[in-house]
Amino acid sequence: MLGPMLTPPDVRLSPWVRWEQRMLEKQYQNMIQGRWVPTARQFYTGNTSLAKHYIVEAGGFDPSFRRAEDVELAFRLKDRGLKFVFNPNAIGYHYADRSYSSWMNIAYAYGRNDVIMTRQKGQDWLLPTVMAEFGSRNPLVRLLTHMCLGRPGLSQAAIDMMEQAAKIGDRLNIETMTRFSYSGIFNLRHYQGVADELGGANQFWEMLKHDGNL
């Protein structure tokens, strides 16, 4: 069973964590409204429950994963026949506290792990799914990725500019500016992680072309 990790009412989270919480809440609404079916990809162990013996029988967490270790475990649970159910009433509050640099590193690690789980963990469907999802991203995210992927200097300049825009948006309470800026940073870092684990930007674009998503 998956439950929502809601924003706690008694703390003010850092702006990048607030963005993260909004993305989580968007997922929850999609599942509540039936647009998404709950899957292993939503198995965030900050608020999940299942019988202990299933975890033991699946081999527990893989310590080689510093991020997405819960989702990697969930893929093995899925392969053993477990189904995932979202219960919006099983509420937990997410007291997330991480630095901006840690948040950016998480996005990059998620991208690398998408490739690792596909190639080394038998999840052959995962990377093609990630590539297919690229086509449905916001056009500005796709443009940013096209411009910056494999260009470290330009990528860093774009991230620095978006970081400043996010700070200004947060200071002036312009929520749209803050949200779009952090979305651009997170997605660019994620796709850079995918590309680096594939071997570079050229391999990333070749895979998109091969799968018909470019």
Side-chain angles (χ1 to χ4, degrees), residues 6 16 27 30 38-39 44 56 61 74 83 88 96 100 112 126-127 134-135 141 147 158 162 172 176 187 205 209:
L6 302 184
W16 47 89
Q27 292 185 39
N30 281 327
T39 71
Y44 310 129
V56 174
F61 292 105
K83 307 297 182 184
Y100 173 69
R112 292 189 65 238
L126 179 56
L127 189 54
F134 180 81
V141 167
M147 290 174 55
M162 288 185 289
L172 300 178
T176 301
N187 279 284
W205 298 122
K209 290 178 182 178

Side-chain angles (χ1 to χ4, degrees), residues 154-173:
L154 182 58
S155 179
Q156 188 59 56
I159 287 173
D160 291 344
M161 183 177 66
M162 288 185 289
E163 180 187 2
Q164 292 305 312
K167 288 179 178 178
I168 293 170
D170 183 57
R171 189 179 309 121
L172 300 178
N173 201 28

Side-chain angles (χ1 to χ4, degrees), residues 61-66:
F61 292 105
D62 183 340
S64 67
F65 286 88
R66 299 298 297 274

